[in-house]
Amino acid sequence: MVKIGKSEVSTTSLGLGTNAVGGYNLFTGLKDEDGINIVKQALDSGITMLDTAFAYGMGHSEELIGQAIQGYDRSKFVIATKAAQDVKNGKVEINNSPEFLKQSVDEALERLQTDYIDIFYIHFPDDHTPKNEAVAALNELKKAGKIKAIGVSNFSLDQIKEANQDGLVDVVEDQYSLIHREAEQELFPYLRENNVSFVPFFPLASGLLTGKYTKELSFPEGDMRSKNPDFKGERFNQIIDKVNEVSKIAKKNDVSTAQLVLAWYMKNPDITVVIPGAKKPEQVASNAKALNITISDADYQEIDKKFKNL
């Protein structure tokens, strides 16, 4: 188990990202029943962190999780959710005001059908709210027992420093993976120094790090990946080459490529919890096996080196 920042929240180092649980605005063809079963599979497989957000289906992901957790011991798992999207007259504005954040927590508690939220993140920074004031509002909710840990997501390093002026931020969630390692330069040293946990999103890089893609792959025009630079040209080919090399290490260890990559994150001292998403319960069950993988120092360093200057 790992501890979240300076809070009392503890969880497994592998969680579940739930943007495909009710995130009908992000993915096509999602079914509520599948989403509920994905959450149950995670809890049944020993995963104890569920990471969601209002933005995943504009509250629908939280509603499905609220349904899925009924019958489970609430003290045995952790729910992390996020808010910043203020919907007015059909338009979405980013809002970090204390009033909005307090309202968002109360509404999330209702959708999740729970008495408390373990980790609450400000999902995106707005342009006008002083970040330390936004965090101070969340600290009031922490004292009231509505949330247990305070997080920020998609914040720049300067914004994180502003938010953490009073040492109240427990966790930062931001993009990081073997192919996106910018956080190692300045963010990780700051987080280490200030006892702030880190949770990377897109750890499997939209499936690129699972070993399921080949160089011959192409995406239809409407697919999000068709516009992603990681899936284009020479960079795509270089990533595939590196992943194929990692797949050989995985085969040697009798594990899948995705499981080995997840084990790499869990061994990384700068990462607290890794939260891969899933569209099927079987993917969750497979990912959960990474909890039992011990990656050797030699393999860890070899994988690290392969992706270092990509």
Side-chain angles (χ1 to χ4, degrees), residues 16 18 21-22 32-33 35-40 43 50-54 56 59-74 77-81 107-118:
L16 172 70
T18 64
V21 174
D32 287 359
E33 185 182 359
I36 290 170
N37 287 334
I38 285 167
V39 173
K40 288 183 174 182
L43 296 176
L50 307 173
D51 182 277
T52 186
F54 170 76
Y56 306 163
H60 194 49
S61 179
E62 292 173 330
E63 289 171 347
L64 293 182
I65 289 171
Q67 294 174 45
I69 63 175
Q70 301 307 309
Y72 288 87
D73 183 344
R74 180 66 182 88
F77 61 91
V78 165
I79 296 176
T81 193
E107 291 173 353
L109 286 168
E110 282 191 35
R111 288 189 292 267
L112 289 162
Q113 299 184 50
T114 187
D115 297 328
Y116 64 92
I117 292 164
D118 299 271

Side-chain angles (χ1 to χ4, degrees), residues 16 72 108 148 172 215 306:
L16 172 70
Y72 288 87
K148 293 191 170 187
V172 166
K215 290 183 180 180
K306 286 184 188 304

Side-chain angles (χ1 to χ4, degrees), residues 208 214-219 225-241 310:
L208 258 180
T214 65
K215 290 183 180 180
E216 291 71 38
L217 194 69
S218 63
F219 298 100
R225 290 165 293 190
S226 67
K227 297 187 177 80
N228 187 332
D230 292 335
F231 285 86
K232 290 181 177 178
E234 187 54 31
R235 177 163 173 79
F236 177 67
N237 290 335
Q238 287 177 339
I239 292 170
I240 294 299
D241 285 339
L310 191 65

